[in-house]
PDB file of all heavy atoms in Angstrom:
ATOM      1  N   ASP A  56     -57.127 -11.200  17.422  1.00  0.00           N
ATOM      2  CA  ASP A  56     -57.870 -11.949  16.480  1.00  0.00           C
ATOM      3  C   ASP A  56     -56.846 -12.810  15.719  1.00  0.00           C
ATOM      4  O   ASP A  56     -56.251 -12.207  14.770  1.00  0.00           O
ATOM      5  CB  ASP A  56     -58.632 -10.913  15.618  1.00  0.00           C
ATOM      6  CG  ASP A  56     -59.266 -11.631  14.361  1.00  0.00           C
ATOM      7  OD1 ASP A  56     -59.569 -12.857  14.492  1.00  0.00           O
ATOM      8  OD2 ASP A  56     -59.567 -10.950  13.379  1.00  0.00           O
ATOM      9  N   THR A  57     -56.769 -14.138  16.009  1.00  0.00           N
ATOM     10  CA  THR A  57     -55.776 -14.835  15.241  1.00  0.00           C
ATOM     11  C   THR A  57     -56.396 -15.462  14.038  1.00  0.00           C
ATOM     12  O   THR A  57     -55.702 -15.948  13.166  1.00  0.00           O
ATOM     13  CB  THR A  57     -55.249 -16.002  16.171  1.00  0.00           C
ATOM     14  OG1 THR A  57     -56.378 -16.819  16.606  1.00  0.00           O
ATOM     15  CG2 THR A  57     -54.572 -15.407  17.343  1.00  0.00           C
ATOM     16  N   GLY A  58     -57.706 -15.446  13.782  1.00  0.00           N
ATOM     17  CA  GLY A  58     -58.368 -15.969  12.658  1.00  0.00           C
ATOM     18  C   GLY A  58     -58.532 -15.065  11.607  1.00  0.00           C
ATOM     19  O   GLY A  58     -58.921 -15.389  10.410  1.00  0.00           O
ATOM     20  N   GLY A  59     -58.211 -13.672  11.735  1.00  0.00           N
ATOM     21  CA  GLY A  59     -58.277 -12.907  10.613  1.00  0.00           C
ATOM     22  C   GLY A  59     -59.750 -12.465  10.280  1.00  0.00           C
ATOM     23  O   GLY A  59     -60.147 -12.620   9.092  1.00  0.00           O
ATOM     24  N   GLN A  60     -60.658 -12.296  11.248  1.00  0.00           N
ATOM     25  CA  GLN A  60     -62.075 -11.991  10.850  1.00  0.00           C
ATOM     26  C   GLN A  60     -62.268 -10.868   9.943  1.00  0.00           C
ATOM     27  O   GLN A  60     -63.041 -10.895   9.075  1.00  0.00           O
ATOM     28  CB  GLN A  60     -62.815 -11.687  12.215  1.00  0.00           C
ATOM     29  CG  GLN A  60     -62.931 -12.928  13.085  1.00  0.00           C
ATOM     30  CD  GLN A  60     -63.595 -12.657  14.413  1.00  0.00           C
ATOM     31  OE1 GLN A  60     -63.813 -11.454  14.738  1.00  0.00           O
ATOM     32  NE2 GLN A  60     -64.120 -13.754  15.173  1.00  0.00           N
ATOM     33  N   VAL A  61     -61.456  -9.742  10.096  1.00  0.00           N
ATOM     34  CA  VAL A  61     -61.661  -8.550   9.194  1.00  0.00           C
ATOM     35  C   VAL A  61     -61.239  -8.983   7.733  1.00  0.00           C
ATOM     36  O   VAL A  61     -61.951  -8.631   6.811  1.00  0.00           O
ATOM     37  CB  VAL A  61     -60.814  -7.370   9.643  1.00  0.00           C
ATOM     38  CG1 VAL A  61     -60.770  -6.386   8.626  1.00  0.00           C
ATOM     39  CG2 VAL A  61     -61.372  -6.906  11.029  1.00  0.00           C
ATOM     40  N   ALA A  62     -60.213  -9.720   7.518  1.00  0.00           N
ATOM     41  CA  ALA A  62     -59.606 -10.132   6.230  1.00  0.00           C
ATOM     42  C   ALA A  62     -60.733 -11.045   5.659  1.00  0.00           C
ATOM     43  O   ALA A  62     -60.973 -11.073   4.467  1.00  0.00           O
ATOM     44  CB  ALA A  62     -58.319 -10.910   6.461  1.00  0.00           C
ATOM     45  N   ARG A  63     -61.320 -11.986   6.514  1.00  0.00           N
ATOM     46  CA  ARG A  63     -62.359 -12.917   5.956  1.00  0.00           C
ATOM     47  C   ARG A  63     -63.491 -12.163   5.535  1.00  0.00           C
ATOM     48  O   ARG A  63     -64.122 -12.443   4.451  1.00  0.00           O
ATOM     49  CB  ARG A  63     -62.778 -13.922   7.038  1.00  0.00           C
ATOM     50  CG  ARG A  63     -62.730 -15.285   6.709  1.00  0.00           C
ATOM     51  CD  ARG A  63     -63.001 -16.342   7.684  1.00  0.00           C
ATOM     52  NE  ARG A  63     -63.565 -16.014   8.938  1.00  0.00           N
ATOM     53  CZ  ARG A  63     -62.763 -15.917  10.135  1.00  0.00           C
ATOM     54  NH1 ARG A  63     -61.609 -16.249  10.116  1.00  0.00           N
ATOM     55  NH2 ARG A  63     -63.441 -15.544  11.222  1.00  0.00           N
ATOM     56  N   PHE A  64     -63.951 -11.108   6.278  1.00  0.00           N
ATOM     57  CA  PHE A  64     -65.148 -10.338   5.993  1.00  0.00           C
ATOM     58  C   PHE A  64     -64.847  -9.548   4.611  1.00  0.00           C
ATOM     59  O   PHE A  64     -65.716  -9.609   3.733  1.00  0.00           O
ATOM     60  CB  PHE A  64     -65.473  -9.305   7.010  1.00  0.00           C
ATOM     61  CG  PHE A  64     -66.594  -8.374   6.784  1.00  0.00           C
ATOM     62  CD1 PHE A  64     -67.903  -8.693   6.991  1.00  0.00           C
ATOM     63  CD2 PHE A  64     -66.354  -7.123   6.104  1.00  0.00           C
ATOM     64  CE1 PHE A  64     -68.926  -7.943   6.708  1.00  0.00           C
ATOM     65  CE2 PHE A  64     -67.314  -6.205   5.900  1.00  0.00           C
ATOM     66  CZ  PHE A  64     -68.686  -6.658   6.154  1.00  0.00           C
ATOM     67  N   ASN A  65     -63.695  -8.966   4.475  1.00  0.00           N
ATOM     68  CA  ASN A  65     -63.258  -8.230   3.309  1.00  0.00           C
ATOM     69  C   ASN A  65     -63.229  -9.162   2.041  1.00  0.00           C
ATOM     70  O   ASN A  65     -63.684  -8.738   0.957  1.00  0.00           O
ATOM     71  CB  ASN A  65     -61.939  -7.470   3.452  1.00  0.00           C
ATOM     72  CG  ASN A  65     -62.191  -6.281   4.439  1.00  0.00           C
ATOM     73  OD1 ASN A  65     -63.188  -5.829   4.570  1.00  0.00           O
ATOM     74  ND2 ASN A  65     -61.141  -5.845   4.912  1.00  0.00           N
ATOM     75  N   LYS A  66     -62.748 -10.329   2.257  1.00  0.00           N
ATOM     76  CA  LYS A  66     -62.706 -11.256   1.175  1.00  0.00           C
ATOM     77  C   LYS A  66     -64.098 -11.685   0.633  1.00  0.00           C
ATOM     78  O   LYS A  66     -64.432 -11.736  -0.525  1.00  0.00           O
ATOM     79  CB  LYS A  66     -61.933 -12.607   1.579  1.00  0.00           C
ATOM     80  CG  LYS A  66     -61.927 -13.612   0.485  1.00  0.00           C
ATOM     81  CD  LYS A  66     -61.094 -14.803   1.049  1.00  0.00           C
ATOM     82  CE  LYS A  66     -60.950 -15.925  -0.017  1.00  0.00           C
ATOM     83  NZ  LYS A  66     -60.322 -17.150   0.501  1.00  0.00           N
ATOM     84  N   ARG A  67     -64.966 -11.720   1.694  1.00  0.00           N
ATOM     85  CA  ARG A  67     -66.302 -12.220   1.316  1.00  0.00           C
ATOM     86  C   ARG A  67     -67.271 -11.070   0.854  1.00  0.00           C
ATOM     87  O   ARG A  67     -68.044 -11.269  -0.096  1.00  0.00           O
ATOM     88  CB  ARG A  67     -67.001 -12.678   2.655  1.00  0.00           C
ATOM     89  CG  ARG A  67     -67.714 -13.987   2.473  1.00  0.00           C
ATOM     90  CD  ARG A  67     -68.161 -14.497   3.799  1.00  0.00           C
ATOM     91  NE  ARG A  67     -69.537 -15.023   3.532  1.00  0.00           N
ATOM     92  CZ  ARG A  67     -70.366 -15.469   4.559  1.00  0.00           C
ATOM     93  NH1 ARG A  67     -69.855 -15.408   5.872  1.00  0.00           N
ATOM     94  NH2 ARG A  67     -71.494 -16.019   4.383  1.00  0.00           N
ATOM     95  N   PHE A  68     -67.015  -9.853   1.332  1.00  0.00           N
ATOM     96  CA  PHE A  68     -67.935  -8.766   1.022  1.00  0.00           C
ATOM     97  C   PHE A  68     -67.241  -7.542   0.477  1.00  0.00           C
ATOM     98  O   PHE A  68     -67.785  -6.440   0.438  1.00  0.00           O
ATOM     99  CB  PHE A  68     -68.779  -8.381   2.371  1.00  0.00           C
ATOM    100  CG  PHE A  68     -69.575  -9.495   2.893  1.00  0.00           C
ATOM    101  CD1 PHE A  68     -69.224 -10.072   4.047  1.00  0.00           C
ATOM    102  CD2 PHE A  68     -70.754  -9.934   2.241  1.00  0.00           C
ATOM    103  CE1 PHE A  68     -70.041 -11.116   4.691  1.00  0.00           C
ATOM    104  CE2 PHE A  68     -71.518 -10.888   2.830  1.00  0.00           C
ATOM    105  CZ  PHE A  68     -71.186 -11.620   3.879  1.00  0.00           C
ATOM    106  N   GLY A  69     -65.955  -7.680   0.248  1.00  0.00           N
ATOM    107  CA  GLY A  69     -65.239  -6.503  -0.317  1.00  0.00           C
ATOM    108  C   GLY A  69     -65.730  -5.838  -1.541  1.00  0.00           C
ATOM    109  O   GLY A  69     -65.589  -4.627  -1.732  1.00  0.00           O
ATOM    110  N   GLY A  70     -66.518  -6.538  -2.450  1.00  0.00           N
ATOM    111  CA  GLY A  70     -66.960  -6.050  -3.656  1.00  0.00           C
ATOM    112  C   GLY A  70     -68.260  -5.404  -3.604  1.00  0.00           C
ATOM    113  O   GLY A  70     -68.779  -4.743  -4.456  1.00  0.00           O
ATOM    114  N   LEU A  71     -68.863  -5.458  -2.491  1.00  0.00           N
ATOM    115  CA  LEU A  71     -70.283  -4.844  -2.180  1.00  0.00           C
ATOM    116  C   LEU A  71     -70.130  -3.322  -2.120  1.00  0.00           C
ATOM    117  O   LEU A  71     -69.303  -2.915  -1.344  1.00  0.00           O
ATOM    118  CB  LEU A  71     -71.052  -5.511  -1.124  1.00  0.00           C
ATOM    119  CG  LEU A  71     -71.428  -6.956  -1.188  1.00  0.00           C
ATOM    120  CD1 LEU A  71     -71.975  -7.476   0.119  1.00  0.00           C
ATOM    121  CD2 LEU A  71     -72.303  -7.203  -2.342  1.00  0.00           C
ATOM    122  N   THR A  72     -71.085  -2.620  -2.768  1.00  0.00           N
ATOM    123  CA  THR A  72     -71.153  -1.211  -2.477  1.00  0.00           C
ATOM    124  C   THR A  72     -72.597  -0.835  -2.315  1.00  0.00           C
ATOM    125  O   THR A  72     -73.428  -1.469  -2.836  1.00  0.00           O
ATOM    126  CB  THR A  72     -70.555  -0.448  -3.745  1.00  0.00           C
ATOM    127  OG1 THR A  72     -71.213  -0.842  -4.855  1.00  0.00           O
ATOM    128  CG2 THR A  72     -69.116  -0.746  -3.924  1.00  0.00           C
ATOM    129  N   LEU A  73     -72.839   0.361  -1.690  1.00  0.00           N
ATOM    130  CA  LEU A  73     -74.205   0.862  -1.604  1.00  0.00           C
ATOM    131  C   LEU A  73     -74.397   1.976  -2.592  1.00  0.00           C
ATOM    132  O   LEU A  73     -73.839   2.982  -2.559  1.00  0.00           O
ATOM    133  CB  LEU A  73     -74.434   1.351  -0.183  1.00  0.00           C
ATOM    134  CG  LEU A  73     -74.294   0.429   1.032  1.00  0.00           C
ATOM    135  CD1 LEU A  73     -74.349   1.061   2.293  1.00  0.00           C
ATOM    136  CD2 LEU A  73     -75.384  -0.723   0.845  1.00  0.00           C
ATOM    137  N   LYS A  74     -75.165   1.566  -3.699  1.00  0.00           N
ATOM    138  CA  LYS A  74     -75.426   2.418  -4.789  1.00  0.00           C
ATOM    139  C   LYS A  74     -76.850   3.057  -4.552  1.00  0.00           C
ATOM    140  O   LYS A  74     -77.794   2.315  -4.296  1.00  0.00           O
ATOM    141  CB  LYS A  74     -75.238   1.799  -5.998  1.00  0.00           C
ATOM    142  CG  LYS A  74     -73.821   1.253  -6.410  1.00  0.00           C
ATOM    143  CD  LYS A  74     -73.806   0.580  -7.632  1.00  0.00           C
ATOM    144  CE  LYS A  74     -72.391   0.125  -7.844  1.00  0.00           C
ATOM    145  NZ  LYS A  74     -72.437  -0.636  -9.199  1.00  0.00           N
TER     146      LYS A  74
END
Side-chain angles (χ1 to χ4, degrees):
D56 175 22
T57 57
Q60 291 178 346
V61 173
R63 228 177 15 254
F64 178 85
N65 288 335
K66 181 179 177 184
R67 228 173 139 186
F68 301 108
L71 292 178
T72 58
L73 296 174
K74 295 180 182 177

